[in-house]
Amino acid sequence: MNRKKLKSENSNITTMMNFILLGCSDTPNLQWTLFVIFLLIYLTILVCNSIIILITKIDPSLHTPMYFFLGNFSFLEICYVTVTIPRMLVDLWTKKGHISFLACATQMGFILMFGGTECLLLTVMAYDRYVAICNPLHYSLVMNHKVCIQLVAASWISTIPVVIGQTWQIFSLSFCASHTINHFFCDVPPILKLACGDTFVNEVAVYVATVVFIMVPFLLIVVSYVKIICNILKLSSARGRSKAFSTCSSHLTVMVLFYGTASISYLQPKPNHSEGMEKLISLFYTVFIPTLNPIIYTLRNKDIMMALKKLLAKILA
């Protein structure tokens, strides 16, 4: 009897070594259309962000803390979408969606790491704008190159131990339910749905991580921008106010879009909305917002546009 039970348990463990990502399997007629759309989106993100990285490196006028952070943010965006979109393209191409236990855990870990890093980097960028506008006389001293490197490094490194602990905790659960994930990638909420037993501790851990990496940075950004706006309104020159607002508007737009959708997803580990809506929200902050970010930063930034025109002139000359 014990042998049969052990054999059955081993069989269940073996079965659960693989998951199936359902993705868009409920709309088989749109598979190829979605493949083309996601491929174009991925290529757009790669090209646009690579251009931003290139021009912030080669144009001397953009060798400032603001554009140093923007170049790092663009690199982060490339990493962020590379964790999800290529996998989605493979699943749409093969129409299978099989993903191993280890690959699923790895994908989740990188999604959480890059997402957390993005939250912290957006906070650093807000601090940079705060110092530039509210304390301009000491800007070059406060935001020197060494400090900029330290802030970027801290944004990347500080997420790693939390992400490792979070991922290990979630994938240490027993998955006795269906091994099909009704999602495009291995994200926290759909994985927790598959776990059997009490997941209260895991849900609390998700809330704590969300507060630390989403809500606290968001509040810091809000405080920074309240001070920035108050300082801008004190400026006597209308042109000065317009220029100050224009340097902040792009970052503020990106921040609102990213934090808004990410908080909706992660503040509800067992969301009340439908799985279709859950997938749409996750697609918004992992795919569509990274597509909009380089467009927002280039079209609303005169310095970037000037540098881009100079680069094109050199290439076409």
Side-chain angles (χ1 to χ4, degrees):
M1 181 71 180
N2 289 335
R3 285 183 180 180
K4 287 183 179 179
K5 187 177 180 181
L6 184 62
K7 188 176 179 181
S8 175
E9 287 176 355
N10 288 337
S11 176
N12 286 337
I13 291 169
T14 304
T15 303
M16 290 311 299
M17 290 305 286
N18 288 289
F19 292 108
I20 298 174
L21 291 163
L22 293 181
C24 299
S25 58
D26 53 341
T27 55
N29 296 330
L30 295 175
Q31 297 269 3
W32 290 113
T33 304
L34 290 171
F35 177 86
V36 173
I37 291 171
F38 285 130
L39 179 60
L40 291 174
I41 285 173
Y42 184 56
L43 292 174
T44 301
I45 293 169
L46 289 182
V47 171
C48 292
N49 282 292
S50 296
I51 290 171
I52 290 174
I53 294 169
L54 179 64
I55 60 178
T56 55
K57 287 287 184 184
I58 66 173
D59 195 309
S61 66
L62 300 182
H63 291 173
T64 63
M66 177 181 174
Y67 295 109
F68 172 75
F69 294 133
L70 180 57
N72 278 275
F73 184 76
S74 295
F75 174 71
L76 176 60
E77 291 284 77
I78 291 173
C79 295
Y80 192 43
V81 296
T82 300
V83 178
T84 54
I85 298 182
R87 176 78 219 186
M88 290 161 59
L89 291 173
V90 170
D91 292 341
L92 287 167
W93 182 274
T94 60
K95 298 181 181 179
K96 290 180 180 179
H98 291 281
I99 185 169
S100 69
F101 186 89
L102 180 60
C104 191
T106 303
Q107 186 185 52
M108 178 189 286
F110 277 114
I111 288 170
L112 294 177
M113 185 180 78
F114 293 140
T117 302
E118 183 157 336
C119 291
L120 297 178
L121 195 53
L122 284 169
T123 309
V124 168
M125 293 168 79
Y127 175 68
D128 171 67
R129 291 298 83 209
Y130 164 74
V131 177
I133 293 171
C134 299
N135 197 8
L137 297 177
H138 297 93
Y139 179 66
S140 58
L141 182 66
V142 175
M143 299 302 293
N144 61 67
H145 189 62
K146 184 181 177 181
V147 170
C148 292
I149 291 173
Q150 289 172 342
L151 288 170
V152 170
S155 299
W156 282 88
I157 295 168
S158 58
T159 59
I160 294 173
V162 177
V163 165
I164 290 172
Q166 187 87 276
T167 306
W168 178 84
Q169 187 184 45
I170 290 171
F171 281 88
S172 295
L173 294 167
S174 299
F175 297 99
C176 51
S178 169
H179 63 291
T180 55
I181 304 170
N182 191 11
H183 212 62
F184 295 97
F185 52 88
C186 294
D187 204 3
V188 174
I191 294 294
L192 281 179
K193 284 182 180 179
L194 301 183
C196 56
D198 188 13
T199 59
F200 176 75
V201 173
N202 302 90
E203 290 173 32
V204 170
V206 171
Y207 272 103
V208 171
T210 302
V211 169
V212 171
F213 288 101
I214 295 181
M215 298 312 297
V216 170
F218 176 76
L219 291 174
L220 290 172
I221 292 172
V222 169
V223 170
S224 297
Y225 272 101
V226 168
K227 292 185 176 182
I228 287 169
I229 291 167
C230 290
N231 201 276
I232 289 173
L233 293 175
K234 291 177 184 177
L235 296 174
S236 56
S237 167
R239 187 177 178 183
R241 287 196 298 269
S242 177
K243 186 178 179 181
F245 273 122
S246 67
T247 61
C248 300
S249 59
S250 300
H251 177 261
L252 199 57
T253 305
V254 169
M255 183 272 294
V256 169
L257 289 171
F258 179 76
Y259 277 102
T261 50
S263 59
I264 289 171
S265 182
Y266 286 98
L267 282 173
Q268 301 185 74
K270 289 187 176 180
N272 296 321
H273 44 248
S274 67
E275 290 181 332
M277 182 58 69
E278 183 185 338
K279 287 197 285 186
L280 185 62
I281 291 169
S282 64
L283 272 181
F284 198 77
Y285 71 82
T286 56
V287 176
F288 297 128
I289 291 177
T291 310
L292 294 173
N293 286 351
I295 298 170
I296 292 169
Y297 276 113
T298 52
L299 294 180
R300 295 182 65 85
N301 191 301
K302 291 179 181 178
D303 293 335
I304 291 283
M305 291 301 292
M306 285 295 293
L308 188 57
K309 287 176 182 177
K310 282 193 278 184
L311 179 62
L312 289 173
K314 285 182 181 179
I315 293 171
L316 297 173

